[in-house]
Amino acid sequence: MSTSEIVKNSDIESAIQVADSSSSSQLSEKELQRVTSLDEWKPNPDKSKWENLVDSFRRAPVEEVDPNLTVAERIAIRTARSPLKRRLKNRHLQMIAIGGAIGSGLFVSSGSSLSTAGPAGVLIGYFISATFILCVVCGLGELAVEFPVSGSFTTYANRFVDESFGFAANWNYVYGCSISLPLEIVSAAITVNYWNTPKKYADAFVALFFVLIMSINLFGVKGYGEAEYAFSAIKVLCILGFIILGIVLVCGGGPDGKYVGGTMWRSPYGAFVGDTDGKYVGGTMWRSPYGAFVGDTGAQRFKTIMSVFVSAAFAYSGVEMTGMAAAETKNPRKAIPKAAKQVFWRILLFYLVSLTLVGLLVSHTDERLIGNSYVDAAASPFVIAMVSHGIKGLPSVFNVVILISTLSVGNASIFGASRIMVSMCESGHIPKWTKLDYIDNKGRPMVALGLLAIIGCIAFIAASSKEDVVFTWLLAITGLSAMFTWFGISLSHIRFRHALKSQGRSTDELWFVAPTGLWGSYYSCILIAIIIGLDFWTSLWPYKSSPNAESFFQSYLSAPIFIVIYLSHKIYRRNWKVFIPSTEVDIDTGRRESDIERLKADIAQEKAELATKPFYYRAYKFLC
């Protein structure tokens, strides 16, 4: 393989030749760092600032891949050697992991779930979803540490499951993220309506937020990391503040004099001492006439709880972003395992605790929860809780945080969609002539960003009278997108583990082994499949309404789209196998460490050192 016309530096050529001499065509950790550091573009001091700026947008040097290799081998090598820059630090990844799942799904759309299923139904739906999300993210962490490649989890579906499934998973994620961008921009623009801004300024706000998000991504992966670090810090502080405020309100410390939580503990007024002249609110939300569930019969309550799972999927979407960032993380071995294991704790704290307090403070029959809660910040149960209990000023502050959250999700959507587009072009799932695999000298996928900017222009529907109709159908396309993404991640983990076993290898050679194990991935796959099936039932026969084709497709459109893409690729490729045989799965290309025996020795040494530490330290390392 000749690289002299592409890479001029002889040191880089020698490093690449070392990699090519390996039978499995993978780069070791040291070799990969060496190529990256030598190939790092820097401004030329002999050129003007303008010339250096122009040069920074030129295509980064790339390696040729032997055309005699199989399609799967070429895809694995291209994604492993993508010229994306590793500039995300541990602090970036940790904050992305903490704040990635905190967005408008929690702040706003949880109100729709509360009105649909009641306070107890919301907690059941979100808790069950949290259990399989933990399994998904731990499985993803195991794969991302071993294979920090461009495209991350959608690339794993190509390698470990089947090319047709990977093709469908790629398109599922890319159109989900692409559509999410204009949705979030419009959501941000409509959030401003909380302060009664005139409708005629809607497009101005859309333009402002559009330029802000695109500008952040023009600073490359470091710009994304710093922006998400700031966004996530604000969201985390806001949630912690609300939890403290919620406890005070439930305990009767609100300015309106209402005593809230006592009725939950002891008749007639609970476990707290003190007189009050106000109406008892929080504890009664779980009892008649409100009730903990929506529905008179067990079947009706079950149906309403099932409807919460889709809302939970929308709320939790983004937790997989730590895996997407693996290829651009300086030290994925240290950062990704910690981020993956912290998923459960942040969901427990930020979601379940805050939603418990919301359920004590806001009745599920409150009319302010009704409406298009995806874009109407006034329908946020958090804002309603504060307004209902006499809190002044803070609702506006919280609305600013909701605005920041929508911008954060839009920023993450661009990051994810652009990386998947690069991977799809490298994999042959998008034609090469589109140039979507173009990555410039600063590590920016410029053509993909340009295409996303065009798609983002859909956001200018904010001033249209048909805004709600367009919004509803865009949401329908992305409704179950996250479910299919998570199913693909867990299935890829299952196939990877089976490939290890069938090829006579074990988890001893893995730097990070998912704490939830193989059975955790089976659990998440089965539960996701059940939820998708039950969602078909609730979409076709919704609670308190007759079967309706329009409402069905608004709830379930993304499922038939995924199936059509999958089957179409099968027919086009004439690929009739469901899975790549375990003995044929490539489990080496793209790994950071090519010397397996040395890796095993390093892992054994680390385990031995950990065994000498106190129990509390070992427990902390296992859990966090």
Side-chain angles (χ1 to χ4, degrees):
M1 179 179 68
S2 174
T3 60
S4 59
E5 294 180 359
I6 300 176
V7 183
K8 301 299 183 182
N9 191 302
S10 60
D11 289 329
I12 299 176
E13 288 180 354
S14 64
I16 294 173
Q17 289 170 1
V18 170
D20 289 337
S21 65
S22 172
S23 59
S24 59
S25 303
Q26 76 272 7
L27 291 169
S28 71
E29 178 79 17
K30 290 183 179 179
E31 291 160 359
L32 193 54
Q33 290 177 350
R34 186 184 175 201
V35 172
T36 302
S37 61
L38 290 171
D39 198 29
E40 183 74 21
W41 180 84
K42 294 180 180 179
N44 189 334
D46 297 329
K47 292 185 178 181
S48 67
K49 291 183 178 180
W50 173 254
E51 289 175 323
N52 279 315
L53 178 63
V54 172
D55 287 345
S56 71
F57 286 95
R58 299 189 188 280
R59 187 164 192 162
V62 294
E63 295 180 57
E64 295 178 353
V65 178
D66 187 353
N68 297 319
L69 297 174
T70 66
V71 174
E73 289 173 334
R74 292 200 300 271
I75 290 174
I77 293 172
R78 284 173 183 149
T79 54
R81 298 178 181 179
S82 177
L84 294 170
K85 306 302 182 185
R86 295 179 188 87
R87 292 181 177 172
L88 285 181
K89 299 178 181 178
N90 183 60
R91 67 178 178 90
H92 293 139
L93 201 65
Q94 293 306 312
M95 194 56 76
I96 290 170
I98 293 172
I102 304 175
S104 56
L106 171 62
F107 291 138
V108 183
S109 65
S110 59
S112 176
S113 299
L114 180 61
S115 65
T116 301
V122 167
L123 290 180
I124 292 172
Y126 274 76
F127 177 77
I128 294 176
S129 296
T131 60
F132 74 75
I133 288 294
L134 173 64
C135 298
V136 169
V137 177
C138 285
L140 174 60
E142 180 179 305
L143 294 174
V145 169
E146 295 301 319
F147 306 95
V149 299
S150 67
S152 185
F153 42 82
T154 52
T155 303
Y156 304 148
N158 280 327
R159 296 182 58 172
F160 305 131
V161 182
D162 171 59
E163 186 185 358
S164 297
F165 186 87
F167 181 79
N170 273 316
W171 277 108
N172 168 74
Y173 195 80
V174 79
Y175 69 64
C177 284
S178 300
I179 292 173
S180 179
L181 171 62
L183 285 177
E184 296 300 333
I185 292 176
V186 176
S187 294
I190 296 178
T191 299
V192 180
N193 292 343
Y194 183 82
W195 296 286
N196 298 318
T197 54
K199 180 75 171 178
K200 62 181 180 180
Y201 296 134
D203 279 348
F205 283 112
V206 166
L208 173 64
F209 299 141
F210 178 82
V211 171
L212 176 63
I213 292 176
M214 295 306 303
S215 299
I216 289 173
N217 282 272
L218 286 179
F219 285 96
V221 66
K222 190 172 183 179
Y224 164 77
E226 293 294 350
E228 282 303 299
Y229 184 83
F231 290 156
S232 297
I234 293 171
K235 290 186 288 184
V236 168
L237 289 174
C238 180
I239 285 292
L240 292 176
F242 176 81
I243 289 173
I244 295 171
L245 174 64
I247 293 173
V248 171
L249 293 176
V250 168
C251 295
D256 59 357
K258 291 180 180 178
Y259 182 85
V260 179
T263 55
M264 295 301 297
W265 290 81
R266 187 159 57 95
S267 178
Y269 298 130
F272 296 96
V273 176
D275 297 326
T276 178
D277 298 325
K279 180 182 178 182
Y280 294 92
V281 179
T284 59
M285 299 301 177
W286 287 61
R287 298 191 304 179
S288 179
Y290 306 106
F293 297 94
V294 174
D296 298 325
T297 66
Q300 291 175 342
R301 292 176 179 179
F302 178 75
K303 185 175 288 189
T304 59
I305 292 173
M306 288 310 305
S307 67
V308 173
F309 285 111
V310 176
S311 297
F314 175 76
Y316 288 149
S317 58
V319 295
E320 72 281 351
M321 200 55 65
T322 52
M324 181 66 69
E328 296 168 85
T329 302
K330 286 189 174 182
N331 191 350
R333 285 182 177 175
K334 298 295 183 182
I336 291 177
K338 184 178 292 186
K341 288 186 286 187
Q342 288 177 353
V343 166
F344 179 76
W345 302 112
R346 65 176 181 263
I347 286 177
L348 181 67
L349 176 63
F350 298 136
Y351 274 85
L352 300 183
V353 173
S354 62
L355 289 177
T356 298
L357 293 170
V358 164
L360 290 171
L361 296 169
V362 181
S363 167
H364 67 80
T365 61
D366 194 311
E367 293 183 356
R368 288 171 293 182
L369 294 173
I370 307 301
N372 190 351
S373 60
Y374 288 101
V375 295
D376 186 3
S380 168
F382 294 83
V383 173
I384 292 172
M386 288 184 281
V387 171
S388 299
H389 295 277
I391 303 297
K392 307 294 184 182
L394 284 181
S396 289
V397 174
F398 208 92
N399 198 61
V400 172
V401 176
I402 294 174
L403 175 61
I404 291 173
S405 297
T406 57
L407 296 177
S408 174
V409 174
N411 187 41
S413 297
I414 284 190
F415 179 83
S418 60
R419 272 60 182 176
I420 292 296
M421 286 179 178
V422 170
S423 173
M424 290 175 71
C425 199
E426 291 171 338
S427 304
H429 291 168
I430 291 179
K432 278 290 197 181
W433 57 264
T434 63
K435 303 296 183 181
L436 284 173
D437 59 345
Y438 185 101
I439 299 176
D440 68 11
N441 282 316
K442 299 285 284 184
R444 299 169 295 200
M446 291 305 302
V447 177
L449 290 176
L451 178 58
L452 288 167
I454 295 173
I455 296 173
C457 290
I458 298 174
F460 287 95
I461 65 170
S464 169
S465 59
K466 299 292 184 181
E467 169 197 11
D468 290 343
V469 176
V470 176
F471 238 86
T472 299
W473 285 105
L474 288 178
L475 285 170
I477 295 173
T478 61
L480 292 171
S481 175
M483 289 289 188
F484 289 112
T485 295
W486 296 332
F487 182 86
I489 291 171
S490 291
L491 186 59
S492 297
H493 183 236
I494 291 170
R495 296 301 303 163
F496 170 68
R497 285 290 192 93
H498 281 297
L500 272 178
K501 183 177 181 180
S502 65
Q503 295 180 29
R505 295 159 71 172
S506 70
T507 56
D508 291 340
E509 65 183 61
L510 303 181
W511 190 266
F512 170 64
V513 178
T516 52
L518 179 61
W519 290 108
S521 292
Y522 271 116
Y523 166 76
S524 58
C525 275
I526 293 170
L527 193 57
I528 292 171
I530 291 173
I531 291 171
I532 292 174
L534 289 174
D535 190 55
F536 175 84
W537 171 52
T538 57
S539 299
L540 192 59
W541 291 282
Y543 176 62
K544 285 189 176 180
S545 63
S546 58
N548 182 291
E550 182 178 1
S551 62
F552 170 76
F553 283 109
Q554 286 176 354
S555 301
Y556 211 72
L557 182 60
S558 53
I561 289 177
F562 184 91
I563 294 171
V564 168
I565 294 175
Y566 175 76
L567 294 178
S568 298
H569 189 271
K570 284 285 183 190
I571 294 171
Y572 178 76
R573 291 288 191 183
R574 296 183 179 181
N575 170 25
W576 309 120
K577 60 187 177 184
V578 178
F579 298 122
I580 300 173
S582 298
T583 54
E584 299 177 11
V585 171
D586 181 2
I587 55 177
D588 288 312
T589 304
R591 295 181 73 166
R592 285 286 176 93
E593 182 58 72
S594 59
D595 190 338
I596 301 299
E597 294 304 318
R598 186 179 66 182
L599 175 61
K600 288 182 178 180
D602 290 343
I603 294 172
Q605 181 180 355
E606 186 180 76
K607 289 181 178 179
E609 292 175 355
L610 183 62
T612 62
K613 303 293 184 181
F615 172 78
Y616 65 86
Y617 181 84
R618 286 182 280 124
Y620 171 79
K621 295 293 289 185
F622 177 79
L623 295 173
C624 301

